[in-house]
Amino acid sequence: MRHLLLSLSLSLTLIASQAFAATPKLFTGQPQAFERAPNAPIVGVYVPNWEPVEEVDQIKTGSISHILYAFMRICGPGQRPMDEALCAGRPEFTLGVSEKEAQFDAAFMRLKQRMPQLKVVASVGGWAGSDSFFYIANDAAKRTTFAASVVEFLRTHPGFDGVDIDWEHPGNNGAANGVQLGSPADGQGYADLMTDLRAAVDGLGRENGRTYLVTTAVNTAGHIIKGINFRQASRALDLIFMMTYDFYGGWSDKAGAHSALASSSPEAEDSLMAGVSTMVRAGVPAAKLVAGMAMYGRGFAGVKQHQSVNAKTGDFPSDGIKGEAGTASYKRIAEQWLGPEGRGRGGFVARFDKVTQAWSLWNDKTADFIGYDDPRSVLLKAQYAKRAGLAGVFAWELSQDNGDILNAMNLGVGNKPSR
């Protein structure tokens, strides 16, 4: 453990020295095709099913290795009220499947004709869709029903290569839908759910000769991770997608870069590096961890200096996350406030924080602050992930990018642009 943490610290020192070194042109605003080495690190993206399916066809060859299809929902106790039509007539604790999944399945099959090594996982849950897990995980019979539903989905949708569990969060759902759920038992139930899913998809693989993935997306906060039996769960999981973003937002009492590489202070958990340390201490091999990037930013008003206390969520119209104030997609940030050279525009100035290794935009006159993943910081984080022996990088979510972020992810892990 000490050796790993020392290595991570040395990696950060090296990365810090390269923060302003010459890099390939990062602000093109155009997605790039890439040549991937056979064992290149993962470059993954979320593809949300509320965006047009045509976005899949527009993905540049070689630019991704994994897609997380977001989100599939579970029917029965805990289902979202808006899923009533989707779940009509479906058994409890099974996946709600619609024509939308068939459309994306066909698109993924088309994409695999260009990229045969591409892997696609169906991400189940999400912030608003996780309540059902609290009813399933601690009951063996319900876990069996759910796992059988996952197997049936994979059997009938050959464009998918596995399942991703995005349970937010074992132990406490934050009353996301107005109902408080969670108990200490969830940490073991989570591990048992992963174990049962592993056995179920392996059984399907023996039937059809395919290998299926079981993955998960996690909030790396220590108070969440310490309550989960990851020593058991990680044995069943192929990959763990660390949601190392949203460290600051409308819920926090100060402003900050919400997706930083390094923490703002020794005791803070507000960074990718802190998330890696937390997961490794929990018993997860670094080689199964995937570092999270954000293709969106979070704005704050009333910021007199970096991380001002009592700053308020900015009044930027939301176009990055539906219904959430103070957020904006990277493509909008680049066009409106960052500019083609990455210096800032419209009164905003781009600033690099040597402590957190993160870029932000700040308007001194209006006291507005935008924390976001800049291509330069994404490049550094991807380089860090490779040096630290992580599985790779991923980002939420594809439609929010103009190409800069995904390009930087590829460059950072060592992929070469196609000529």
Side-chain angles (χ1 to χ4, degrees):
M1 175 69 70
R2 177 179 294 179
H3 175 71
L4 175 62
L5 295 179
L6 177 60
S7 297
L8 299 187
S9 178
L10 292 174
S11 294
L12 177 58
T13 301
L14 179 59
I15 289 170
S17 70
Q18 297 177 339
F20 294 97
T23 57
K25 190 174 182 181
L26 295 176
F27 296 95
T28 65
Q30 296 293 328
Q32 172 70 55
F34 283 86
E35 297 177 2
R36 293 181 51 82
N39 296 315
I42 285 170
V43 176
V45 292
Y46 274 94
V47 170
N49 58 17
W50 54 83
E51 295 294 335
V53 70
E54 288 75 18
E55 291 231 358
V56 175
D57 296 311
Q58 296 168 6
I59 293 173
K60 296 295 184 180
T61 300
S63 63
I64 59 172
S65 64
H66 289 65
I67 287 177
L68 296 99
Y69 171 79
F71 285 107
M72 296 197 67
R73 311 297 188 179
I74 306 172
C75 299
Q79 78 180 45
R80 303 182 310 160
M82 65 186 69
D83 290 334
E84 183 176 353
L86 174 69
C87 290
R90 294 197 61 82
E92 292 183 344
F93 311 117
T94 64
L95 292 175
V97 182
S98 71
E99 179 59 28
K100 186 178 296 183
E101 278 68 52
Q103 294 170 359
F104 275 91
D105 183 60
F108 296 144
M109 292 292 283
R110 291 194 300 270
L111 187 58
K112 287 182 176 184
Q113 292 177 6
R114 290 192 282 125
M115 294 186 282
Q117 304 306 313
L118 175 69
K119 300 297 182 184
V120 181
V121 292
S123 187
V124 183
W127 176 243
S130 290
D131 284 2
S132 297
F133 289 124
F134 294 91
Y135 297 93
I136 292 172
N138 299 310
D139 186 306
K142 294 172 183 175
R143 292 197 304 269
T144 298
T145 298
F146 174 68
S149 174
V150 169
V151 167
E152 180 60 22
F153 174 80
L154 294 175
R155 181 182 286 119
T156 55
H157 295 78
F160 288 81
D161 302 282
V163 62
D164 175 75
I165 301 301
D166 187 349
W167 179 355
E168 302 185 27
H169 309 284
N172 189 333
N173 72 339
N177 296 307
V179 178
Q180 183 63 51
L181 297 170
S183 75
D186 294 340
Q188 183 58 47
Y190 176 96
D192 292 338
L193 176 61
M194 302 305 169
T195 300
D196 289 356
L197 284 169
R198 174 85 274 159
V201 301
D202 283 354
L204 175 61
R206 287 190 292 271
E207 285 181 23
N208 61 17
R210 292 182 60 178
T211 299
Y212 291 96
L213 300 175
V214 178
T215 71
T216 191
V218 297
N219 180 319
T220 58
H223 71 278
I224 294 174
I225 299 304
K226 71 179 181 181
I228 300 173
N229 183 357
F230 266 108
R231 295 189 184 277
Q232 175 187 333
S234 65
R235 292 194 294 269
L237 290 164
D238 295 287
L239 298 168
I240 296 173
F241 294 95
M242 299 182 295
M243 295 186 287
T244 44
Y245 38 75
D246 292 345
F247 292 116
Y248 294 92
W251 57 88
S252 54
D253 60 2
K254 60 182 180 180
H258 80 96
S259 186
L261 169 57
S263 295
S264 58
S265 65
E267 67 277 5
E269 293 186 314
D270 54 354
S271 71
L272 168 58
M273 291 188 71
V276 171
S277 296
T278 297
M279 298 306 298
V280 170
R281 284 196 298 268
V284 179
K288 290 191 175 185
L289 298 174
V290 191
M293 315 284 163
M295 291 173 166
Y296 62 96
R298 292 188 176 278
F300 294 83
V303 179
K304 300 301 183 183
Q305 59 182 348
H306 182 60
Q307 295 190 321
S308 293
V309 176
N310 298 322
K312 302 299 182 183
T313 300
D315 59 359
F316 310 112
S318 174
D319 68 354
I321 301 177
K322 285 191 173 181
E324 187 171 352
T327 65
S329 64
Y330 171 78
K331 66 172 63 173
R332 181 178 174 216
I333 291 171
E335 179 179 357
Q336 187 165 342
W337 299 303
L338 183 57
E341 297 180 354
R343 296 179 181 177
R345 62 172 19 163
F348 283 87
V349 175
R351 306 189 305 173
F352 180 75
D353 186 325
K354 293 182 180 180
V355 174
T356 62
Q357 300 287 289
W359 287 82
S360 61
L361 287 161
W362 187 49
N363 189 318
D364 182 35
K365 292 183 179 179
T366 64
D368 287 330
F369 172 94
I370 306 174
Y372 71 105
D373 254 345
D374 185 281
R376 292 163 290 196
S377 59
V378 169
L379 185 73
L380 297 182
K381 289 200 291 184
Q383 290 171 343
Y384 159 79
K386 187 174 181 179
R387 290 191 182 100
L390 307 189
V393 296
F394 79 101
W396 176 275
E397 50 85 2
L398 185 61
S399 72
Q400 298 172 316
D401 189 23
N402 67 356
D404 290 351
I405 303 300
L406 186 55
N407 292 346
M409 290 164 66
N410 276 281
L411 292 169
V413 300
N415 294 331
K416 305 298 183 183
S418 298
R419 295 183 178 180

